[in-house]
Amino acid sequence: LGELTLAFASCQSWADGHYPAYADMAAHAPDVVFHLGDYIYEKPIPVDGGRRKTAATPVSAHRECATLDDYRDRYALYKLDPQLQAAHRASPFITIFDDHEVDNNWAGGIPQDTKAPEWNDTPERFLARRANAFRAYYENMPLRRSSIPSGPDMRIFRRLSWGRLANFHMLDTRQYRDDQACDDGWDSNCAEANDPSRTITGGDQERWLLKGFRDSEARWDILGQQVFFATRDGKEATDDHNVSMDSWDGYAGSRDRVTAAWQDAGVRNPVVLTGDVHKHWAADIKADFTDPDSEVIGTELVTTSITSGGDGDGAWSDPIMAWNPHLRFSGNQRGYVRTLVTKDSLRADFRSLDRVTTRGSAIRTQATFEVADRERGLHRVR
């Protein structure tokens, strides 16, 4: 079955810093790099260049992207970075978009804000903006012909195989989702979030995914996707379940159907790779997150951002881990996750940078976890 070296990354706001994570990635030259979304940010870049302090940027950089030229300019700016270029030269990229390639926290045909900018104030105008964003995305990303956009529609969910070692199910959790429940954000005891009819993938993609599980003969079935999969209860009070409506917690029925399908299909080793949240996380996925003694049925590995959020804090650990025992690790610096997949195990190194405000920052492995073949649950190695 051989082995596979894999890196995965997300969230590379140009204005928030340099890309030393990509320099480290290029030096290791993994077999493949997964970029899990927010390759660009649509938001305006400060005139002084933000944390990069690079003022020589195009005029379009200082306004929010809406036109096709705006999005094209933004990709051109990001791709001028020499460390990002080095990573692309060293390894093939497999990419999926999240929200900032279009508009923050968009859901299906619904933008984040329908009140302010003129390009979001009607469904028709937002879809025209989405068409511009998708066209620029396709022009700049290594995608199959099957992903050529048709106006505001673009298929990016797809499956790739690494022999019989691994299947990669690359998901789209933006284009087909229902609107976020309870006015988005974090909310407590939101009944709408638990409505089993709600979906984060849409029906067609869900059926495609579940069929992929049933047909799989791979040692590892790996989901590459955008937003947090395991539950994160933000409040200690046992009667106040406070979760993010933009994550799978806001679409609990979708998550239940995916995890049930793992069990029904006898998926040998299910692993979810995630971006979006600008922090490193490692999590056991439970059959029932409300029961601490519930069976572990899968693994989630979450990469921090490449730059988004700035330097961060190397001493930080999220206090919610105390009442979310399935959350095994958290880290608040920038970086990426380096992974080795073999027939016997999956090993993940959480690479963390001292800072992104300088181009040549030191990087270290902050934690290493391993998942053994057929043994559900994370084992911390270091």
Side-chain angles (χ1 to χ4, degrees), residues 69-81:
D69 284 345
D70 288 344
Y71 286 108
R72 284 171 168 168
D73 284 353
R74 200 62 56 92
Y75 283 102
L77 175 64
Y78 278 53
K79 288 196 164 192
L80 284 172
D81 185 275

Side-chain angles (χ1 to χ4, degrees), residues 6-47:
L6 164 70
F8 61 100
S10 73
C11 303
Q12 54 194 48
S13 171
W14 188 93
D16 274 355
H18 297 281
Y19 294 157
Y22 280 130
D24 183 70
M25 197 183 294
H28 288 94
D31 293 319
V32 65
V33 173
F34 285 178
H35 198 285
L36 302 179
D38 297 346
Y39 192 96
I40 64 164
Y41 277 65
E42 86 290 9
K43 297 179 179 298
I45 292 171
V47 174

Side-chain angles (χ1 to χ4, degrees), residues 8 36 225-229 272-276 300-303:
F8 61 100
L36 302 179
Q225 61 92 48
Q226 296 84 351
V227 294
F228 218 101
F229 189 86
V272 180
L273 307 183
T274 301
D276 182 60
E300 182 173 20
L301 304 171
V302 183
T303 179

Side-chain angles (χ1 to χ4, degrees), residues 7-179:
F8 61 100
S10 73
C11 303
Q12 54 194 48
S13 171
W14 188 93
D16 274 355
H18 297 281
Y19 294 157
Y22 280 130
D24 183 70
M25 197 183 294
H28 288 94
D31 293 319
V32 65
V33 173
F34 285 178
H35 198 285
L36 302 179
D38 297 346
Y39 192 96
I40 64 164
Y41 277 65
E42 86 290 9
K43 297 179 179 298
I45 292 171
V47 174
D48 67 356
R51 290 187 174 99
R52 284 196 180 215
K53 301 303 178 188
T54 303
T57 52
V59 172
S60 64
H62 310 309
R63 60 176 178 260
E64 185 161 341
C65 293
T67 69
L68 178 58
D69 284 345
D70 288 344
Y71 286 108
R72 284 171 168 168
D73 284 353
R74 200 62 56 92
Y75 283 102
L77 175 64
Y78 278 53
K79 288 196 164 192
L80 284 172
D81 185 275
Q83 295 174 316
L84 177 58
Q85 291 176 2
H88 276 288
R89 284 194 301 269
S91 305
F93 274 53
I94 296 171
T95 65
I96 49 178
F97 54 67
D98 190 19
D99 54 341
H100 287 289
E101 287 89 350
V102 181
D103 179 46
N104 183 50
N105 277 26
W106 66 280
I110 303 169
Q112 180 189 39
D113 183 3
T114 59
K115 298 175 183 176
E118 61 182 14
W119 52 81
N120 282 356
D121 65 359
T122 68
E124 294 76 18
R125 286 179 175 171
F126 176 67
L127 289 178
R129 180 190 186 189
R130 198 174 89 179
N132 292 334
F134 284 0
R135 182 172 173 182
Y137 185 79
Y138 184 81
E139 291 173 351
N140 283 276
M141 294 291 105
L143 293 163
R144 298 170 173 177
R145 290 181 60 82
S146 58
S147 292
I148 294 175
S150 175
D153 301 313
M154 180 181 184
R155 176 168 171 160
I156 63 161
F157 68 86
R158 60 206 190 276
R159 196 160 15 249
L160 305 98
S161 296
W162 194 272
R164 294 186 64 186
L165 181 66
N167 282 337
F168 301 117
H169 311 268
M170 308 304 292
L171 301 189
D172 177 348
T173 62
R174 285 289 162 193
Q175 193 172 178
Y176 313 108
R177 67 160 69 189
D178 291 317
D179 196 10

Side-chain angles (χ1 to χ4, degrees), residues 250-328:
Y251 305 82
S254 276
R255 181 173 59 205
D256 290 346
R257 291 188 291 274
V258 170
T259 56
W262 288 345
Q263 297 170 287
D264 294 344
V267 173
R268 181 164 175 159
N269 295 299
V271 178
V272 180
L273 307 183
T274 301
D276 182 60
V277 293
H278 307 173
K279 292 178 175 64
H280 281 318
W281 291 92
D284 291 328
I285 298 172
K286 296 273 197 172
D288 180 0
F289 286 109
T290 65
D291 178 6
D293 296 323
S294 178
E295 178 186 9
V296 176
I297 58 173
T299 299
E300 182 173 20
L301 304 171
V302 183
T303 179
T304 187
S305 60
I306 291 289
T307 55
S308 301
D311 289 335
D313 177 2
W316 178 91
S317 180
D318 199 310
I320 73 169
M321 293 175 65
W323 57 90
N324 289 268
H326 60 280
L327 300 177
R328 303 288 303 281

